[in-house]
Amino acid sequence: MKALKNHLERTKNLPFVKRISDFHLLLVLARVLDLNADIPALTECVQTQTSVPEGPLPQHGVYLPHRTQGVLVLVICTLLLYSVAAEDRADMRSRPSEGTSTVAYDVSDQTLIEAIKGNGKSIPQVVKLWVERYEGDPKTAMVDLLTMLFEACGAKYCDKSDLVDETDVDDVVVALVNCAKRGEVEDYQNSKKKEIKNFKENLEAFWDNLVRQCQHGPLFDQVLFDKCMDYIIALSCTPPRVYRQVASLMGLRLVTSYITVANMLGAQRETTRRQLDAEKKKRTEGPRVESLNKRFSETHERITLLEEMMRKIFTGLFVHRYRDIDPNIRMSCIESLGAWILSYPSLFLQDLYLKYLGWTLNDKNAGVRKASINALQNLYEVDDNVPTLGLFTERFSVRMIELADDIDVSVAVHAIGLVKQLLRHQLIPEDDLGPLYDLLIDDPPEIRHAIGALVYDHLIAQKFNSFQSGSKDEPGNTSEVHLRRMLRILEEFPQDPILSIYVIDDVWEYMTAIKDWKCIISMLLDENPSVELSDSDATNLVRLLCASVRKAVGERIVPTTDNRKQYYNKAQKEVFENNKQDITVAMMKTYPLLLRKFISDKAKVSSLIEIVLYMNLEFYSLKRQEQNFKNLLQLIKEAFFKHGDKDPLRACVKAIDFCCLESQGELQDFARNKLKELEDEIIVKLKAAIKEVVDGGDEYSLLVNLKRLYELQLKRSVPINSLYEDIVMVLRDFRNMEDEVVGFLLLNMYLHLAWGLQSIVNEETVSGESLNSLLAKRDTLLQELEYFLNLAANKEGAKHGSELARRVCTILAETWFLFRTTNFNKTKLERLGYSPDANVLQKFWELCQQQLNMSDEAEDEDVIEEYAEETNRDAVMIAAAKLTVNDVVPKEYLASEIISHFVMHGTSVTEIVKHLISVLKKKDVDLAHIFLEALKSAYHRHPVRISLNEDVSSQKRCKDLGDLAAKLSGTFIGAARIKHRPDILKLVRDGIEYAFVDAPKQLSFLEAAVLPFVLKLPAVDVSEIMKDVQQRKGNVNTEENPSGWRPYYTFITSLEEKFAKNEGFQDEQEGVTVRRRGRPRKRQNIAGKKLFDEQSSSEDEDSISAYEQDAQDVGRRLEEDDEDAPLIHSIRSSSKLRSLGVSREESKVQTKTGSSVRATDTLSASRTSGASS
């Protein structure tokens, strides 16, 4: 009613027939007047624009009584009075309380730009008032509108007199560009001012309201909007970015508003056509048919005119701005085009327009690519659009699939959703999905889960193709069918449990069958005769069960570099607790049956036993299932003594310890008794095994029981005092035992010693007897470890690198750390402090170096896989660094020796040394001395190798030393150069002193080791250093030994050249790798379609096939350099799972070429980001 009132007020000066010429007004009158008599007569008067007579209204030659113009006015007035009364009631409700005051704001005094800059609430009223002014004085209103258009772009055009008629559009635009060049432009769209924060939305709302208000007249006068579009298109092609941004925004919004009006007119045209068809069926001719034909023709003409206006903006604005240098403009263009195609397919759903969505799939900006993907997703969601999209899909489906592995995570996720749409309509073949399935084990979880949804819908639930093979012949309920299909997928990873866990994690959110624990257990117990599982299927199903249980209670199942603790809200915790209860109830009776069935299978028993950690043991008492709990503990104990491998033993220890802590009452007592029985039994078995070895028997029983004791001692203290002497005896008397046996003997001695120390430290009063006993055990362990140190020092007596040697290094370092002097100084336990002497420390480091210098192949052969993380070179380096950081040994010796290996042993060791250096910088240490000693150690390392008949040239020595010096000097960047300037200066001076000892014998040290640090100093210091070096040469005749003095001249020349170029310092970022956040990606060398050239033509929109060859060329030219390949590739290509990275040789190759070994098929160019200019 308010709109009716405003309409009548605005048209009060027009003839009566003009006032009622409104579709919505006629709809209102149709509620009051006679539909069969009055309304047709009125509509005919409106259609023919003939005046409504004062007497009866004619209708097909018949006069209708009682209906006059006065009666119509009375009806309309009655409606308006009702509207006013309703508004008065609303005003009474919203009237401010007494004592407050309100100020009415007269929008008639508000300019157009002021309405847009404001909060936007007055825009509809301002637009209506402007339309009224335009109908009364078009020229003045047009000037106001164009002025607003220029002001919205941030410019002010002063000469408004001839703006409408005489002035050429190009002249005005040139004047506006000159304003921008003079800096007389204000950017409202990107402004941070709070008062115009809604400028963009308000500007779009203004043009939308304007188009709607003008749809019954000015919109089709071919003057108002033609002039506006001319200026908008011209401004969108100007150099100032702010002009292009605002003009593009207005132009794109105009097309959207045109489409809204065109759809309304289209609906009216369709209604008129139906009415016309109905009249034609009556086979009568007359004013009614003629009126309908005229209305149909006028509506069609208006739609045609609107479409011409849309094309004008598209060709004049869109085809230039979709490749604008500003990514925001490009993104707006693609978003708008997607909306246009979706809302007005009769014009835009054709290859002439669709190709722009395909081309921008290669855009260099992620936001533009995502906008294109989202637009296509919306199009494919409408089934009626699919037949028209056939040729487009054929041309661009390959690129759509490639984008599933886009450099940007959000783009990749949206692209996977687009691929799902293509699969739903069966537009891409199954063979094209191979690269996508590799992304199940990609790094970003968002991509993995998106692919998981695709795999579930396509392969497990088979939503996209109801007649896929096997879907009809698979018996069983839905959960069983889905689980069997899941097992087929997991068959692809039979030897990689980690990869299987990745796949399970990806589909867990979407696959309800994976949470049907009763169904999984039923399949494992073979309760359904029709379902037969192979051994590999049973293994995968057990993994699936365990992973599903862990996931259901909020545990992480996928390895991650982010070790931060996960936090959950109250609702999530309640869900996890409910899941835990459901798991317990589902497995309470069948869990012992599962364990009994698979107790001998080491591939399954570990996962099965770990499930108890995620159960609510209280339910065993509440549900009267005490006997099942006892059976469960008995089976865990049997599994502990049935297996001798790390995973089953560790799982059993965790499970029993959990039962002892979490069970209640009688069940807790039973669990603790079982644990005591287990401890007693293992001691008995160990004594029997030791006796067997003493009697000349096999060592296998001793090794297995030592592993069991080791896993048990890792979790809790085991009373083996009665066994300790036997362990020492067999270790001393039988020196020819296998290295693995000796290693576990030493490990168990160390753990027993560590538990003993903890008990003494925690006691309030310590007896002298217990202290003496602990000291005796410590000295015994150190004696045995030093024996193996001496054995390794004797080159004829032991291998240079072995698992036992690495065990000795780590255990010795841990023992020194445990009893470090600084930990017990000035305490009652000061006697426990221990510090190794220099001789033992030197032997320790020599043994460590032997392990570090082992080749990767030798280490792979020697290391036992299940304990690889405890016995590889990384563990040795960590142990040595730990001694240095915690002041267990003198830093001056060991720290410099460790740092000298900075660049020698691959990524993982490099990271350890880098962390050590960062810790040392925070401590009060002589950093210059440590670095210089490290450089000296590296300098002298190669001559030692030469003495061992190894072919190492002086060039190799200088290169390795130079790499170390560059790496060390690279740690001083930014503010660190100023903070550590004294250390750098001291290192340089001491290094020069060392290089000139017995010159020119050691001058190569000057060039390789000292020069990188000199370049980190200020110019003043460098100048003094150059003078010092030149003075040291003195009057020596360098011609007698030119090759020996060459490093001296190289040193001087390098400094002179640097300062001749005014460089002074090395680049701040030298030697520094910038860590980017988000998804680790591949380097790229892209030569794609140049969509953004300033001179490139925009006249290429004739057909989609014109781009076909170009798109294929893009695909062929996209090349990737996969330094950070997904985990699937690194796992499949490695011989073992290293804890911290790749091998030394591999890392060197990667540094030079960036290559990465793949076991799977090389993925296509989808790992690139798209075309770049």
Side-chain angles (χ1 to χ4, degrees):
M1 291 304 174
K2 185 176 180 180
L4 173 62
K5 177 183 176 182
N6 293 334
H7 171 75
L8 293 177
E9 287 180 353
R10 189 175 69 247
T11 59
K12 60 185 177 182
N13 297 324
L14 298 178
F16 186 76
V17 70
K18 292 283 188 181
R19 299 183 70 189
I20 65 171
S21 298
D22 184 85
F23 178 74
H24 298 286
L25 174 58
L26 292 175
L27 285 179
V28 173
L29 292 175
R31 301 176 184 174
V32 181
L33 302 179
D34 190 347
L35 283 174
N36 297 321
D38 301 341
I39 297 303
L42 282 176
T43 55
E44 184 172 348
C45 291
V46 171
Q47 180 69 26
T48 58
Q49 288 296 296
T50 57
S51 61
V52 180
E54 292 295 335
L57 298 173
Q59 173 68 10
H60 301 293
V62 181
Y63 284 89
L64 302 175
H66 311 307
R67 299 301 181 194
T68 64
Q69 190 178 104
V71 174
L72 287 176
V73 173
L74 180 61
V75 171
I76 295 173
C77 290
T78 303
L79 294 173
L80 290 176
L81 286 173
Y82 174 78
S83 173
V84 170
E87 289 179 359
D88 289 342
R89 291 193 297 270
D91 289 342
M92 289 293 291
R93 289 192 297 267
S94 61
R95 186 172 298 165
S97 60
E98 188 175 353
T100 63
S101 63
T102 59
V103 179
Y105 187 75
D106 189 1
V107 296
S108 61
D109 298 333
Q110 194 176 25
T111 64
L112 299 180
I113 193 64
E114 287 173 351
I116 293 172
K117 289 181 181 179
N119 56 20
K121 294 181 180 179
S122 61
I123 287 177
Q125 187 64 23
V126 168
V127 171
K128 289 179 182 179
L129 294 175
W130 182 90
V131 172
E132 292 177 7
R133 291 202 306 272
Y134 180 80
E135 291 173 348
D137 186 1
K139 185 173 181 180
T140 304
M142 174 78 80
V143 171
D144 291 342
L145 182 63
L146 294 179
T147 302
M148 182 279 301
L149 193 155
F150 302 149
E151 290 177 342
C153 292
K156 291 185 178 181
Y157 186 73
C158 300
D159 186 9
K160 303 178 183 179
S161 57
D162 300 327
L163 196 58
V164 178
D165 298 324
E166 292 81 0
T167 306
D168 186 70
V169 172
D170 292 340
D171 295 337
V172 176
V173 171
V174 170
L176 294 173
V177 172
N178 291 331
C179 289
K181 290 181 179 178
R182 294 193 298 268
E184 300 173 0
V185 174
E186 187 171 357
D187 188 355
Y188 295 122
Q189 181 173 343
N190 301 309
S191 175
K192 302 298 183 181
K193 296 180 180 179
K194 186 176 181 180
E195 55 270 19
I196 55 174
K197 63 179 180 179
N198 298 322
F199 178 82
K200 180 179 178 182
E201 293 78 8
N202 292 345
L203 185 60
E204 289 182 314
F206 175 86
W207 287 103
D208 188 59
N209 277 275
L210 183 62
V211 171
R212 291 175 185 270
Q213 289 294 326
C214 295
Q215 61 180 309
H216 300 297
L219 180 60
F220 304 102
D221 64 5
Q222 297 186 1
V223 176
L224 171 61
F225 282 90
D226 280 11
K227 180 66 70 173
C228 291
M229 288 190 295
D230 288 341
Y231 278 108
I232 288 173
I233 291 172
L235 286 169
S236 71
C237 298
T238 56
R241 181 171 300 198
V242 62
Y243 289 177
R244 299 200 313 275
Q245 287 177 336
V246 178
S248 300
L249 176 68
M250 293 188 289
L252 297 174
R253 186 64 207 185
L254 277 177
V255 176
T256 304
S257 300
Y258 292 162
I259 289 173
T260 303
V261 176
N263 284 328
M264 293 171 58
L265 292 174
Q268 295 178 17
R269 182 177 61 180
E270 184 64 22
T271 301
T272 304
R273 186 190 61 78
R274 288 198 301 267
Q275 292 175 348
L276 190 59
D277 291 343
E279 291 295 329
K280 288 181 178 179
K281 288 180 181 179
K282 298 177 182 179
R283 298 181 180 179
T284 58
E285 297 291 336
R288 174 70 172 166
V289 175
E290 184 180 350
S291 173
L292 289 173
N293 277 323
K294 186 177 180 180
R295 186 193 310 171
F296 183 86
S297 176
E298 290 179 354
T299 307
H300 181 74
E301 288 176 0
R302 289 190 171 191
I303 293 175
T304 303
L305 182 59
L306 282 172
E307 290 180 352
E308 288 299 325
M309 295 164 71
M310 296 178 204
R311 291 192 187 96
K312 180 177 180 178
I313 294 180
F314 184 87
T315 56
L317 187 150
F318 179 90
V319 296
H320 299 284
R321 299 283 65 79
Y322 91 96
R323 56 184 184 179
D324 194 280
I325 194 172
D326 187 344
N328 293 320
I329 296 178
R330 303 201 302 271
M331 187 163 55
S332 299
C333 289
I334 297 305
E335 288 174 347
S336 298
L337 179 60
W340 301 342
I341 299 173
L342 190 65
S343 57
Y344 203 64
S346 60
L347 174 63
F348 290 104
L349 187 59
Q350 50 183 311
D351 293 339
L352 178 66
Y353 303 100
L354 287 170
K355 64 182 181 181
Y356 294 99
L357 297 181
W359 289 350
T360 49
L361 291 173
N362 293 294
D363 195 279
K364 61 184 179 182
N365 181 266
V368 181
R369 297 196 301 276
K370 184 162 67 173
S372 179
I373 292 170
N374 289 337
L376 291 173
Q377 270 188 289
N378 295 331
L379 292 179
Y380 282 106
E381 282 179 359
V382 182
D383 294 342
D384 293 339
N385 294 340
V386 174
T388 312
L389 291 167
L391 180 60
F392 175 84
T393 306
E394 182 181 346
R395 295 289 186 269
F396 293 102
S397 60
V398 174
R399 179 58 184 159
M400 297 178 199
I401 296 174
E402 289 174 352
L403 284 171
D405 194 22
D406 191 83
I407 188 173
D408 185 86
V409 174
S410 61
V411 173
V413 171
H414 284 78
I416 293 167
L418 178 58
V419 172
K420 285 178 64 177
Q421 294 286 357
L422 298 178
L423 280 174
R424 183 170 71 89
H425 297 294
Q426 301 177 26
L427 296 175
I428 53 177
E430 179 74 24
D431 295 340
D432 292 348
L433 300 179
L436 265 66
Y437 295 147
D438 285 342
L439 298 179
L440 282 168
I441 310 116
D442 205 352
D443 291 334
E446 298 90 347
I447 292 180
R448 291 194 292 103
H449 293 157
I451 292 291
L454 172 66
V455 168
Y456 173 72
D457 290 342
H458 182 52
L459 299 179
I460 299 175
Q462 297 187 357
K463 296 178 180 179
F464 303 146
N465 191 354
S466 59
F467 43 86
Q468 287 186 6
S469 60
S471 60
K472 294 181 180 180
D473 303 328
E474 292 177 312
N477 59 41
T478 304
S479 292
E480 284 188 3
V481 172
H482 286 187
L483 288 169
R484 285 199 296 271
R485 292 172 182 167
M486 182 67 178
L487 291 177
R488 291 179 199 164
I489 297 173
L490 295 179
E491 285 177 2
E492 299 295 324
F493 315 102
Q495 304 301 324
D496 290 311
I498 293 180
L499 303 187
S500 301
I501 295 299
Y502 266 80
V503 178
I504 294 167
D505 180 70
D506 296 339
V507 303
W508 191 87
E509 182 180 350
Y510 315 100
M511 185 176 173
T512 55
I514 211 171
K515 310 173 193 68
D516 191 346
W517 298 293
K518 289 184 178 180
C519 181
I520 297 174
I521 294 170
S522 175
M523 293 175 67
L524 287 171
L525 293 176
D526 298 328
E527 292 180 356
N528 187 351
S530 63
V531 180
E532 294 184 5
L533 295 177
S534 64
D535 183 66
S536 62
D537 285 343
T539 301
N540 284 327
L541 196 55
V542 168
R543 290 174 186 163
L544 186 146
L545 174 62
C546 183
S548 176
V549 167
R550 292 175 58 194
K551 191 79 175 172
V553 298
E555 291 283 327
R556 281 178 177 167
I557 63 174
V558 171
T560 176
T561 55
D562 182 10
N563 294 320
R564 290 177 297 179
K565 183 179 179 181
Q566 289 181 294
Y567 292 95
Y568 300 105
N569 56 36
K570 184 178 180 181
Q572 289 174 317
K573 291 178 180 178
E574 289 179 356
V575 171
F576 296 151
E577 189 60 33
N578 292 334
N579 288 340
K580 185 180 289 189
Q581 295 176 8
D582 294 341
I583 293 166
T584 307
V585 172
M587 300 192 63
M588 202 176 295
K589 296 180 181 179
T590 53
Y591 195 9
L593 300 178
L594 274 178
L595 276 181
R596 186 171 287 109
K597 180 177 180 179
F598 298 109
I599 194 170
S600 300
D601 192 334
K602 68 178 182 179
K604 304 178 182 66
V605 71
S606 302
S607 299
L608 283 175
I609 290 175
E610 284 185 356
I611 293 176
V612 74
L613 303 176
Y614 311 104
M615 296 173 66
N616 190 337
L617 301 185
E618 184 181 357
F619 271 61
Y620 277 96
S621 299
L622 295 176
K623 299 290 184 179
R624 302 287 184 178
Q625 296 293 323
E626 292 85 354
Q627 188 57 46
N628 281 323
F629 180 79
K630 295 177 180 179
N631 294 339
L632 174 63
L633 281 174
Q634 182 61 36
L635 288 168
I636 293 174
K637 179 186 172 185
E638 291 178 14
F640 182 80
F641 287 107
K642 191 176 286 290
H643 296 279
D645 297 310
K646 171 187 170 182
D647 291 338
L649 293 177
R650 196 158 288 185
C652 291
V653 172
K654 287 181 181 178
I656 292 181
D657 188 68
F658 177 80
C659 292
C660 291
L661 295 174
E662 297 297 326
S663 58
Q664 297 180 355
E666 180 185 349
L667 296 184
Q668 187 176 54
D669 294 337
F670 182 84
R672 290 174 177 174
N673 289 334
K674 278 294 173 185
L675 180 58
K676 184 65 172 63
E677 291 176 8
L678 186 145
E679 293 175 352
D680 294 341
E681 188 171 346
I682 199 172
I683 292 174
V684 172
K685 287 181 176 291
L686 268 172
K687 287 183 176 181
I690 291 174
K691 186 176 185 302
E692 183 180 355
V693 171
V694 171
D695 294 340
D698 190 36
E699 299 171 4
Y700 176 76
S701 177
L702 178 60
L703 174 62
V704 170
N705 286 288
L706 284 172
K707 285 184 178 181
R708 291 169 182 161
L709 178 61
Y710 170 67
E711 295 297 337
L712 195 57
Q713 285 201 103
L714 283 176
K715 193 70 177 177
R716 59 186 294 111
S717 174
V718 181
I720 60 169
N721 292 313
S722 60
L723 189 65
Y724 191 83
E725 295 298 329
D726 294 338
I727 292 176
V728 175
M729 178 271 298
V730 74
L731 189 60
R732 287 177 173 174
D733 294 347
F734 297 89
R735 296 295 189 184
N736 294 325
M737 288 187 296
E738 291 292 330
D739 286 355
E740 189 176 5
V741 178
V742 175
F744 277 100
L745 285 168
L746 294 171
L747 277 173
N748 281 290
M749 291 175 66
Y750 165 74
L751 289 176
H752 177 67
L753 188 65
W755 283 113
L757 177 61
Q758 184 186 32
S759 65
I760 287 180
V761 170
N762 292 336
E763 289 180 4
E764 294 183 1
T765 58
V766 181
S767 64
E769 182 181 354
S770 59
L771 193 60
N772 292 332
S773 174
L774 183 65
L775 287 171
K777 291 176 181 178
R778 183 200 69 183
D779 294 340
T780 301
L781 177 60
L782 290 175
Q783 289 173 8
E784 294 303 314
L785 292 169
E786 290 175 12
Y787 165 80
F788 290 104
L789 276 182
N790 295 326
L791 189 65
N794 181 7
K795 298 181 179 60
E796 299 178 357
K799 295 184 292 182
H800 295 313
S802 68
E803 182 198 1
L804 177 58
R806 288 187 287 275
R807 285 285 192 197
V808 169
C809 289
T810 54
I811 296 173
L812 188 58
E814 290 295 335
T815 306
W816 288 347
F817 171 76
L818 206 60
F819 291 90
R820 59 190 182 278
T821 304
T822 55
N823 210 29
F824 300 102
N825 277 342
K826 299 179 181 180
T827 66
K828 296 179 180 180
L829 303 177
E830 191 169 2
R831 290 177 56 197
L832 294 177
Y834 180 83
S835 180
D837 58 43
N839 184 40
V840 174
L841 180 60
Q842 184 177 356
K843 292 179 180 178
F844 164 78
W845 177 243
E846 289 175 356
L847 184 59
C848 290
Q849 284 192 109
Q850 291 175 9
Q851 313 316 306
L852 293 173
N853 293 329
M854 282 185 67
S855 65
D856 288 336
E857 294 76 12
E859 185 181 15
D860 289 340
E861 293 175 1
D862 188 66
V863 170
I864 299 174
E865 186 174 352
E866 63 177 346
Y867 291 100
E869 294 182 2
E870 300 177 15
T871 56
N872 57 21
R873 68 164 65 92
D874 299 336
V876 173
M877 184 60 89
I878 291 171
K882 188 176 180 180
L883 295 178
T884 303
V885 169
N886 291 281
D887 300 320
V888 180
V889 297
K891 293 183 179 66
E892 290 73 14
Y893 170 70
L894 192 55
S896 59
E897 290 291 339
I898 294 173
I899 293 173
S900 70
H901 289 262
F902 198 178
V903 293
M904 294 181 58
H905 307 293
T907 306
S908 57
V909 172
T910 298
E911 289 299 318
I912 295 169
V913 178
K914 186 185 297 184
H915 183 69
L916 171 64
I917 293 173
S918 65
V919 173
L920 290 176
K921 284 184 177 181
K922 298 175 184 178
K923 292 178 172 287
D924 185 18
V925 297
D926 190 350
L927 201 61
H929 176 74
I930 292 175
F931 277 16
L932 182 60
E933 291 301 317
L935 293 169
K936 290 180 182 179
S937 178
Y939 181 73
H940 289 290
R941 187 172 294 128
H942 286 299
V944 173
R945 293 184 179 181
I946 293 174
S947 66
L948 296 175
N949 298 322
E950 295 188 21
D951 185 16
V952 181
S953 65
S954 59
Q955 292 181 351
K956 170 67 174 174
R957 175 177 65 182
C958 291
K959 180 182 180 302
D960 288 352
L961 181 60
D963 292 342
L964 175 61
K967 199 76 172 178
L968 291 177
S969 63
T971 62
F972 298 110
I973 60 171
R977 293 170 64 175
I978 301 173
K979 178 181 177 181
H980 294 282
R981 179 190 167 212
D983 292 323
I984 300 174
L985 194 58
K986 183 175 183 297
L987 186 151
V988 169
R989 288 172 175 167
D990 292 346
I992 293 172
E993 184 76 27
Y994 175 77
F996 275 92
V997 173
D998 196 13
K1001 186 177 180 180
Q1002 297 181 161
L1003 283 180
S1004 59
F1005 187 84
L1006 187 70
E1007 175 190 358
V1010 179
L1011 182 60
F1013 289 92
V1014 177
L1015 299 178
K1016 293 292 181 180
L1017 291 171
V1020 177
D1021 294 336
V1022 175
S1023 177
E1024 293 179 359
I1025 289 169
M1026 289 178 63
K1027 293 178 182 178
D1028 179 41
V1029 172
Q1030 289 170 344
Q1031 289 175 0
R1032 288 176 181 273
K1033 182 179 79 74
N1035 297 323
V1036 176
N1037 184 10
T1038 58
E1039 297 297 331
E1040 295 179 357
N1041 188 359
S1043 60
W1045 284 93
R1046 183 194 56 79
Y1048 164 81
Y1049 288 109
T1050 303
F1051 180 83
I1052 297 297
T1053 303
S1054 297
L1055 295 184
E1056 290 175 347
E1057 288 178 354
K1058 285 287 181 181
F1059 285 95
K1061 296 177 182 178
N1062 294 322
E1063 293 183 8
F1065 298 110
Q1066 285 180 316
D1067 190 350
E1068 281 290 337
Q1069 296 184 359
E1070 181 182 351
V1072 178
T1073 301
V1074 179
R1075 286 188 178 273
R1076 53 168 294 178
R1077 295 184 178 273
R1079 186 183 185 191
R1081 299 304 303 167
K1082 285 66 70 175
R1083 289 186 300 171
Q1084 42 199 323
N1085 180 18
I1086 308 170
K1089 180 176 171 59
K1090 295 185 178 179
L1091 298 178
F1092 314 104
D1093 257 352
E1094 292 294 334
Q1095 300 177 353
S1096 59
S1097 172
S1098 61
E1099 303 298 329
D1100 54 351
E1101 65 268 15
D1102 293 332
S1103 69
I1104 194 171
S1105 59
Y1107 179 68
E1108 178 183 6
Q1109 186 62 41
D1110 206 6
Q1112 292 175 353
D1113 292 341
V1114 171
R1116 282 194 296 267
R1117 291 194 299 263
L1118 295 178
E1119 298 178 356
E1120 62 188 23
D1121 216 348
D1122 196 350
E1123 286 185 345
D1124 297 304
L1127 184 60
I1128 182 174
H1129 302 135
S1130 60
I1131 291 178
R1132 289 179 177 178
S1133 64
S1134 62
S1135 59
K1136 65 185 181 71
L1137 295 177
R1138 295 188 175 274
S1139 61
L1140 284 171
V1142 295
S1143 65
R1144 288 170 288 175
E1145 288 77 6
E1146 186 180 2
S1147 66
K1148 292 177 183 177
V1149 173
Q1150 286 181 347
T1151 303
K1152 294 179 181 179
T1153 67
S1155 61
S1156 176
V1157 180
R1158 295 171 183 245
T1160 57
D1161 294 337
T1162 303
L1163 299 183
S1164 62
S1166 60
R1167 300 181 186 276
T1168 60
S1169 65
S1172 63
S1173 58

